[in-house]
């Protein structure tokens, strides 16, 4: 599977490490991410933490659905983990024909971990993906005595 292309804004923030020409005709979505109206309460809490934690210019209105999917995955993982961590939780139970079966919460938890990892990488939320985002503010010309010579 080929590597996906990195958005121009991310390349710019990273200082264009590949030094290849940037795609200046790439669509530039505007506006901040809009939280979908249909989300679980737990996912809404994750949304608030996520949006507050990342630089404002990273996500746009187009990213709302992907961000919401990530938040729902985190919320479902938390739910499964709480269930597994409960005092009276039994990891192995009897199936419909009497055979031993592992509790479905483990599958839910594992599925959500994979989804979180995949979406998190796409959204720049894991440490490796975050390395490509340089969110330091751009230097201003204020205080630079030679700035007027460049303009």
């Amino acid at each position: 599977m080929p590597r996906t292309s990195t958005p121009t804004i991310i390349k710019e923030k990273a200082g264009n490490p590949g030094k290849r020409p940037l795609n200046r005709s790439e669509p530039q979505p505007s506006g901040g991410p809009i939280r979908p109206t249909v989300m679980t309460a737990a996912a809404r809490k994750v949304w608030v933490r996520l949006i507050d934690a990342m630089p404002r210019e990273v996500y746009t209105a187009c990213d709302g659905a992907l961000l919401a999917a990530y938040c729902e995955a985190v919320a479902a993982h938390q739910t499964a983990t709480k269930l597994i961590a409960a005092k009276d939780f039994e990891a192995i139970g009897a199936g419909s024909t009497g055979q031993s079966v592992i509790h479905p919460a483990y599958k839910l938890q594992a599925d959500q971990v994979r989804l979180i990892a995949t979406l998190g990488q796409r959204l720049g939320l894991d440490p490796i993906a975050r390395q490509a985002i340089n969110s330091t503010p751009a230097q201003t010309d204020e205080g630079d005595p030679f700035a007027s010579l460049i303009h």
Side-chain angles (χ1 to χ4, degrees), residues 42-112:
R44 285 193 301 269
K45 289 178 184 176
V46 175
W47 175 281
V48 170
R49 283 196 324 262
L50 175 61
I51 297 302
D52 288 348
M54 290 299 281
R56 295 187 80 116
E57 70 276 1
V58 173
Y59 302 125
T60 65
C62 296
D63 301 319
L66 192 60
L67 288 164
Y70 175 85
C71 294
E72 290 293 352
V74 170
H77 180 268
Q78 290 172 344
T79 300
T81 302
K82 285 177 189 174
L83 180 61
I84 292 168
K87 190 175 186 177
D88 58 346
F89 179 77
E90 292 189 27
I92 298 177
S96 60
T97 59
Q99 79 280 16
S100 294
V101 294
I102 297 175
H103 198 284
Y106 285 113
K107 179 170 178 4
L108 174 62
Q109 187 184 44
D111 289 347
Q112 298 314 305

